[in-house]
Amino acid sequence: MDAKTMERYAPVLAGLPLLAGIPEAERAGVLRRLGARTQRFPKGAFLLLAGDEARWMGVVLEGGAQVLREDYLGRRSILASLAPGDLFAETFVLAGAPAMPVSVEATAPCVALFLDYMPVLRGTQPADSRLLANLLGMTARKNMHLNERLSLLEKRTIRERLQAYLSIQAQRSGSRRFAIPFDRQQLADYLSVDRSALSAELSKMRAEGLLETDRSAFCLPEAPRGGFSGGS
Amino acid sequence: MDAKTMERYAPVLAGLPLLAGIPEAERAGVLRRLGARTQRFPKGAFLLLAGDEARWMGVVLEGGAQVLREDYLGRRSILASLAPGDLFAETFVLAGAPAMPVSVEATAPCVALFLDYMPVLRGTQPADSRLLANLLGMTARKNMHLNERLSLLEKRTIRERLQAYLSIQAQRSGSRRFAIPFDRQQLADYLSVDRSALSAELSKMRAEGLLETDRSAFCLPEAPRGGFSGGS
DNA sequence: CGAATGATGTTGGAATTCCAACAAACGAAA
DNA sequence: TTTCGTTTGTTGGAATTCCAACATCATTCG
């Protein structure tokens, strides 16, 4: 990655969690060590193809792309959308997958930065352990989020998913009153249910005194039934 | 962790993915550097309490435990069961969580090993980058699994979940014929659906020629409809 | 202010799932 | 072989969700 390119994408690079804690002066050297190379793709081109060797992880520098998986008959499903600054394919590289199980396609003319994980793994440079720690933190946080959503989608009814979700948000905010970062449609997507059914369920729960809502603001009752704490 | 304890739990320690690639001779030193301490818990005791500082990760050496989360009213739900050799709480430590969001309770008299992540983070020793790489690989693999299951639970119908699951298994095995590692009840739990409804759906799909089954052996048709590949 | 737009709530019927109970097939042990 | 226990399949009704269409409310912008 040459100096001109680095300068051009300095804002994106500066914001990369991957490089957090690495002094700006060292970044060029670090990137060089990672075999960093940029590549430009026209819309519709593949930054990565399922079946490719799982060695290079990527960063979108410009434009946009989406991660997609094709089933064994070739039907596509989109797993994620990528914007500048987003890291992709890192999970498979870090997991030591034999091959990429997904493809990444440019949804707009786009520039991607590819990084080789191998040199970091050997860990001979001081910056390496910082990189490893950054990757580890990012992966672990993603892990927490995935786990959290999974615990919601395991529930079978809209009400259970809602109660679990709201309970977590209440705990996180430390109060019975809190705001969620979603509108109704986004919340429905997050809980993987129908929006109108979600609204209806919210109304029912409101009628039962299980919660109060005002747009994205929620309030849970101190105790939904007049019971004792710690009851069965 | 003293020599006697290390000897006693040698079989468990030898199998720890966390310590993979670290010569046996160095392990004692590594564990010492991690501030390793063992602790014995009677059944019902808490190895870890929600709200605790997220600093120590744990390994079950003996007995058993379960990870549980309490909602804001104190209702419990079990997130995982732990057997000897299992690592716990590492995600929250690695993610830098401000506090543990879960508790861990002994389901039987149990011995746990606690490790401090801080010294590894500083990464001043050669073994540290190996530990980081091991943790990274483990976390990334868990990530892949979580992602995979999440992609199934996002589907709204039993049939869609089944098709997505079977498609992945077919791809993984590289053949239209393959065996799954679950019986029907386990598969239903994995897909988070009712077992009998799952069986019924399998029957329907069998009748439609979408698959053949024999216990855990499955066979998908080369093309479910006589269409062309790459059709819309 | 009024219109347009978008978010949220409501409704009814179709489709799907759950649940419980039972039947059939299979495998292991007597 | 017979018996027992487990796994898998089947069924019907209750409960839930989906889906599409529409009503209501808030916000923005002309």
Side-chain angles (χ1 to χ4, degrees):
Chain A
M1 194 179 195
D2 56 73
K4 195 172 151 191
T5 312
M6 276 211 62
E7 193 176 335
R8 169 159 190 188
Y9 294 111
V12 180
L13 293 173
L16 284 184
L18 176 64
L19 299 178
I22 295 179
E24 188 156 348
E26 296 181 31
R27 292 195 175 176
V30 168
L31 288 176
R32 199 173 315 117
R33 238 172 77 65
L34 298 183
R37 57 186 177 80
T38 58
Q39 193 173 345
R40 182 172 295 275
F41 297 89
K43 176 176 174 177
F46 284 91
L47 286 65
L48 213 73
L49 265 177
D52 285 355
E53 182 192 14
R55 174 169 176 186
W56 298 86
M57 43 193 195
V59 178
V60 176
L61 294 180
E62 187 184 319
Q66 54 188 202
V67 183
L68 51 92
R69 151 171 262 144
E70 297 197 354
D71 71 15
Y72 85 113
L73 290 173
R75 287 173 307 205
R76 293 178 168 194
S77 66
I78 296 166
L79 303 183
S81 288
L82 304 173
D86 287 344
L87 189 61
F88 63 88
E90 85 287 1
T91 300
F92 311 111
V93 174
L94 301 178
M100 291 288 173
V102 300
S103 300
V104 180
E105 182 180 11
T107 53
C110 123
V111 176
L113 172 67
F114 291 96
L115 303 170
D116 188 358
Y117 174 54
M118 294 300 175
V120 192
L121 238 187
R122 298 207 187 85
T124 58
Q125 301 290 319
D128 287 341
S129 74
R130 180 69 207 211
L131 280 173
L132 280 174
N134 285 349
L135 282 167
L136 194 43
M138 295 164 65
T139 307
R141 271 187 293 280
K142 187 178 287 189
N143 213 305
M144 282 184 64
H145 296 145
L146 293 175
N147 251 315
E148 189 172 298
R149 188 148 102 101
L150 209 43
S151 74
L152 302 178
L153 297 202
E154 275 175 350
K155 314 275 186 191
R156 307 283 176 90
T157 66
I158 294 179
R159 174 169 298 206
E160 282 180 313
R161 290 185 193 182
L162 258 174
Q163 287 180 321
Y165 173 75
L166 295 175
S167 175
I168 289 174
Q169 297 307 313
Q171 278 190 324
R172 184 160 299 161
S173 77
S175 161
R176 302 187 295 113
R177 304 183 49 80
F178 54 92
I180 64 174
F182 297 135
D183 62 24
R184 290 289 180 277
Q185 182 61 62
Q186 292 170 323
L187 179 57
D189 290 342
Y190 187 72
L191 300 182
S192 198
V193 299
D194 180 75
R195 181 199 61 80
S196 67
L198 171 65
S199 270
E201 192 61 42
L202 278 172
S203 295
K204 253 198 265 180
M205 294 173 71
R206 210 181 298 125
E208 293 176 35
L210 294 177
L211 51 77
E212 297 165 33
T213 71
D214 176 49
R215 299 276 169 174
S216 292
F218 284 75
C219 182
L220 304 183
E222 198 156 344
R225 301 286 164 214
F228 306 91
S229 68
S232 83
Chain B
M1 191 177 195
D2 57 71
K4 195 172 152 192
T5 312
M6 276 212 62
E7 193 177 335
R8 169 161 191 190
Y9 294 111
V12 180
L13 294 173
L16 284 184
L18 176 64
L19 299 179
I22 294 178
E24 187 155 349
E26 295 181 30
R27 293 196 175 175
V30 167
L31 288 176
R32 198 172 317 115
R33 236 172 78 65
L34 299 183
R37 56 187 178 81
T38 59
Q39 194 174 345
R40 182 171 295 274
F41 297 88
K43 176 175 174 177
F46 285 92
L47 286 66
L48 213 72
L49 265 177
D52 284 355
E53 180 191 17
R55 174 170 175 182
W56 299 85
M57 44 194 195
V59 178
V60 176
L61 293 179
E62 189 184 317
Q66 53 188 203
V67 183
L68 52 91
R69 151 169 260 144
E70 298 197 352
D71 71 15
Y72 86 113
L73 289 173
R75 287 173 306 206
R76 294 178 167 194
S77 67
I78 296 167
L79 303 183
S81 289
L82 303 173
D86 287 344
L87 189 62
F88 62 88
E90 86 286 4
T91 300
F92 311 110
V93 175
L94 300 178
M100 291 289 174
V102 300
S103 300
V104 180
E105 181 179 11
T107 53
C110 123
V111 177
L113 172 66
F114 291 95
L115 304 169
D116 188 358
Y117 174 54
M118 293 298 176
V120 193
L121 236 189
R122 298 206 186 85
T124 59
Q125 301 290 320
D128 287 341
S129 75
R130 180 68 206 212
L131 280 173
L132 282 175
N134 284 347
L135 283 167
L136 195 43
M138 295 163 65
T139 307
R141 272 186 293 279
K142 189 180 288 189
N143 217 308
M144 282 185 62
H145 296 145
L146 294 174
N147 249 313
E148 189 171 298
R149 188 148 101 100
L150 210 43
S151 74
L152 301 179
L153 298 202
E154 276 175 349
K155 313 273 185 191
R156 307 283 176 90
T157 67
I158 293 180
R159 174 170 298 205
E160 281 180 314
R161 290 186 192 181
L162 258 173
Q163 288 180 321
Y165 173 76
L166 295 175
S167 176
I168 290 174
Q169 297 307 312
Q171 279 189 325
R172 184 162 297 161
S173 77
S175 161
R176 302 186 296 113
R177 303 183 51 80
F178 54 91
I180 64 174
F182 296 135
D183 63 25
R184 289 291 180 275
Q185 182 61 61
Q186 292 170 322
L187 179 57
D189 289 342
Y190 186 71
L191 299 182
S192 198
V193 299
D194 179 72
R195 181 200 61 77
S196 67
L198 172 64
S199 269
E201 192 62 41
L202 279 172
S203 296
K204 252 198 266 180
M205 294 173 70
R206 212 181 296 123
E208 293 177 35
L210 294 177
L211 50 77
E212 298 166 35
T213 72
D214 177 50
R215 297 279 166 174
S216 291
F218 284 75
C219 182
L220 304 183
E222 200 154 344
R225 300 282 166 217
F228 306 93
S229 69
S232 89

